[in-house]
């Protein structure tokens, strides 16, 4: 049985435009919710100064800010919005450091690294100690509702909002959750092959890049590229398809140094994995769909298992980009995978973006997005 509540007092759904601006939750979700939210990080400055009195004169101290590894990643990629936010025409396109339009699906390397990022497909991987580091494309900031996703069936694969039954799709708030409970996104250069039946799940892939739930403390932005280390994975069976959900954490997160595997998540974030399983089981129920099921009786598999799954989806992606797999309606146009038959020129990519509607003011979002759903579980 499904019951609905009125929207939280003063609450408004966070939308794509708000996510681009900083992915901050709107005020008014209630004092308990506000206490959980973290403010956006302060502006990054080249140096920090202070002064003090001493020896009869003022002295100025300059203390450089520590270099963050994600700065180099963010400097390599940018985004360009097109169309009106909260509308079917909205798209978020990606650029590299040289200003070239690129595909977040095909042109952003799976394996993170400084020099290695220029090698597409990536030949080597960056390691953080003994851990492999991956690039993640943030599609949905934590606590937002708009189901944004890489448009795999459009040239250059911009991020767009999913549409169901002719309406923009927003995930329901199933009490006590508000929107997505992690930063949600995908690993580039991966593909869950819909023609390959997984030996563990008995189901074929869902025809998308592999999904990631980033469980760090920060709320990231729509279209942000972050570096993550993998902790584990769960196997969701969504309408008969294998839909792997990678559990990961940003390498720059304050808690990353103490969380290295799925057991560390259980130790340092008690209840988070259980909430994750509950979220995926019920999130489609308000849309009159049945509960989702899981392989392995809902067990989360460890880091090593997850990395092997990622590697296999990377191989499926390579086959896709070289016409060794049935791509169906998937668009494989790219700018940087030069040995791929789908590689296009910079001018072709620019013309695709310029053919879309220019940026415009966004539409309003219905208050229904803030409704809380209560389920008899």
């Amino acid at each position: 049985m499904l019951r609905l509540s009125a929207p939280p007092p003063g609450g408004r759904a966070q939308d794509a435009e708000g996510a681009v601006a900083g992915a901050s939750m709107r005020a008014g979700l209630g004092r308990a919710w506000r206490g959980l939210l973290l403010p956006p990080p302060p502006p990054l400055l080249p140096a920090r100064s202070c002064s003090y009195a001493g020896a009869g004169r003022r002295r100025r101290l300059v203390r450089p800010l520590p270099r963050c590894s994600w700065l180099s990643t963010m400097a390599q990629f940018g985004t360009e919005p097109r169309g009106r936010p909260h509308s079917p025409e909205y798209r978020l396109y990606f650029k590299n450091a040289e200003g070239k339009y690129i595909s977040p699906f095909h042109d952003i390397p799976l394996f993170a690294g400084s020099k290695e990022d220029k090698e597409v497909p990536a030949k080597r991987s960056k390691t953080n100690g003994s851990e492999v580091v991956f690039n993640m494309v943030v599609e949905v900031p934590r606590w937002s509702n708009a189901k944004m996703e890489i448009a795999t069936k459009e040239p250059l694969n911009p991020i767009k909002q999913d549409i169901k039954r002719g309406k923009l799709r927003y995930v329901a708030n199933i009490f006590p959750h508000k929107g997505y409970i992690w930063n949600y996104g995908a690993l580039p250069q991966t593909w869950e092959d819909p023609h390959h039946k997984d030996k563990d799940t008995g189901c074929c892939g869902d025809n998308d890049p592999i999904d990631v739930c980033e469980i760090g403390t920060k709320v990231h932005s729509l279209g942000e590229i972050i570096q993550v280390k993998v902790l584990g994975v769960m196997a969701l069976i969504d309408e008969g398809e294998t839909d792997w959900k990678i559990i990961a954490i940003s390498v720059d997160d304050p808690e990353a140094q103490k969380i290295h595997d799925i057991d560390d998540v259980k130790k340092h974030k008690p209840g988070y994995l259980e909430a994750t399983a509950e979220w995926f089981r019920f999130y489609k129920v308000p849309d009159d769909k049945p509960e989702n099921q899981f392989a392995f009786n809902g067990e989360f598999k460890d880091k090593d298992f997850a990395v092997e799954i990622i590697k296999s989806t990377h191989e499926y992606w390579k086959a896709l980009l070289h016409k060794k797999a049935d791509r169906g309606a998937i668009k494989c146009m790219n700018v940087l995978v030069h040995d791929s038959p789908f590689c296009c020129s910079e001018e072709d990519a620019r013309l695709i973006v310029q053919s879309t509607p220019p940026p415009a003011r966004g539409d309003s979002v219905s208050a229904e997005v803030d409704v809380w759903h209560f389920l008899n579980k």
Side-chain angles (χ1 to χ4, degrees):
M1 181 178 179
L2 176 66
R3 292 181 291 145
L4 307 182
S5 76
R12 296 292 298 172
Q14 183 180 8
D15 45 50
E17 183 181 37
V20 173
S24 299
M25 285 286 295
R26 293 180 186 266
L29 291 177
R31 183 172 301 170
W33 285 107
R34 288 198 300 269
L36 295 173
L37 298 180
L38 294 175
L44 294 167
L45 301 175
R48 186 175 180 180
S49 64
C50 62
S51 60
Y52 66 95
R57 59 192 178 110
R58 304 282 292 182
R59 296 182 182 179
R60 184 174 182 272
L61 297 181
V62 178
R63 184 178 66 203
L65 291 175
R67 177 178 173 82
C68 296
S69 62
W70 65 264
L71 288 178
S72 59
T73 303
M74 289 304 298
Q76 294 176 36
F77 305 105
T79 57
E80 179 178 316
R82 305 286 295 184
R84 293 175 297 120
H86 338 307
S87 77
E89 69 181 25
Y90 179 79
R91 298 292 184 273
L92 188 68
Y93 286 91
F94 286 72
K95 293 181 176 180
N96 65 6
E98 299 173 355
K100 299 177 182 178
Y101 292 106
I102 60 171
S103 162
F105 187 3
H106 306 305
D107 289 321
I108 295 176
L110 168 62
F111 299 103
S114 53
K115 296 180 181 179
E116 289 81 355
D117 276 349
K118 297 180 180 179
E119 300 178 3
V120 183
K123 304 297 183 183
R124 294 173 290 168
S125 60
K126 177 180 178 180
T127 59
N128 183 30
S130 61
E131 298 164 317
V132 180
V133 179
F134 299 93
N135 283 320
M136 171 187 172
V137 181
V138 178
E139 297 170 306
V140 186
R142 188 172 75 225
W143 289 322
S144 59
N145 296 77
K147 192 178 188 307
M148 311 299 291
E149 60 185 16
I150 292 173
T152 60
K153 299 177 182 178
E154 295 185 12
L156 294 182
N157 316 115
I159 288 180
K160 69 171 186 177
Q161 188 167 354
D162 190 25
I163 296 178
K164 291 290 185 182
R165 302 170 187 170
K167 294 184 178 180
L168 294 172
R169 188 175 174 191
Y170 297 88
V171 298
N173 304 305
I174 299 179
F175 185 84
H177 308 305
K178 172 66 177 77
Y180 287 76
I181 62 174
W182 349 254
N183 295 296
Y184 191 69
L187 295 183
Q189 296 187 343
T190 63
W191 180 52
E192 296 193 54
D193 188 347
H195 305 291
H196 172 77
K197 181 179 289 188
D198 186 85
K199 62 181 178 62
D200 293 312
T201 67
C203 298
C204 294
D206 69 348
N207 205 30
D208 285 323
I210 198 166
D211 296 322
V212 188
C213 302
E214 193 280 322
I215 64 170
T217 57
K218 297 179 182 178
V219 177
H220 290 283
S221 303
L222 172 67
E224 189 174 348
I225 310 300
I226 62 175
Q227 296 182 347
V228 300
K229 62 180 184 180
V230 168
L231 307 172
V233 65
M234 71 182 306
L236 177 68
I237 307 301
D238 190 348
E239 299 183 24
E241 297 176 331
T242 302
D243 191 1
W244 295 104
K245 304 296 180 184
I246 299 294
I247 307 300
I249 189 169
S250 169
V251 297
D252 295 306
D253 193 86
E255 296 183 311
Q257 296 305 312
K258 62 183 181 181
I259 299 179
H260 305 283
D261 208 330
I262 202 69
D263 288 337
D264 292 329
V265 180
K266 299 173 184 177
K267 177 181 178 181
H268 296 288
K269 292 179 178 287
Y272 208 164
L273 295 180
E274 292 81 358
T276 295
E278 179 182 82
W279 194 97
F280 280 117
R281 183 179 297 279
F282 295 112
Y283 83 103
K284 289 188 176 181
V285 172
D287 295 326
D288 298 323
K289 291 189 176 183
E291 296 176 11
N292 283 320
Q293 303 299 316
F294 304 94
F296 311 113
N297 294 318
E299 174 190 358
F300 285 82
K301 308 301 284 186
D302 64 15
K303 173 179 65 179
D304 292 338
F305 187 98
V307 170
E308 290 305 311
I309 294 297
I310 293 170
K311 289 179 179 179
S312 68
T313 60
H314 185 49
E315 293 302 314
Y316 298 143
W317 170 82
K318 288 181 181 179
L320 179 73
L321 261 284
H322 292 86
K323 289 189 174 182
K324 295 180 180 179
D326 181 3
R327 62 188 175 94
I330 295 285
K331 297 298 183 183
C332 297
M333 176 181 285
N334 64 84
V335 180
L336 300 178
V337 189
H338 299 300
D339 60 347
S340 166
F342 302 103
C343 189
C344 72
S345 68
E346 298 175 34
E347 179 62 14
D348 288 338
R350 187 187 68 81
L351 290 175
I352 287 172
V353 177
Q354 295 303 316
S355 68
T356 62
R361 293 178 60 87
D363 297 336
S364 60
V365 179
S366 172
E368 293 180 4
V369 174
D370 289 319
V371 167
W372 243 332
H373 298 254
F374 294 83
L375 304 182
N376 290 324
K377 303 172 185 177

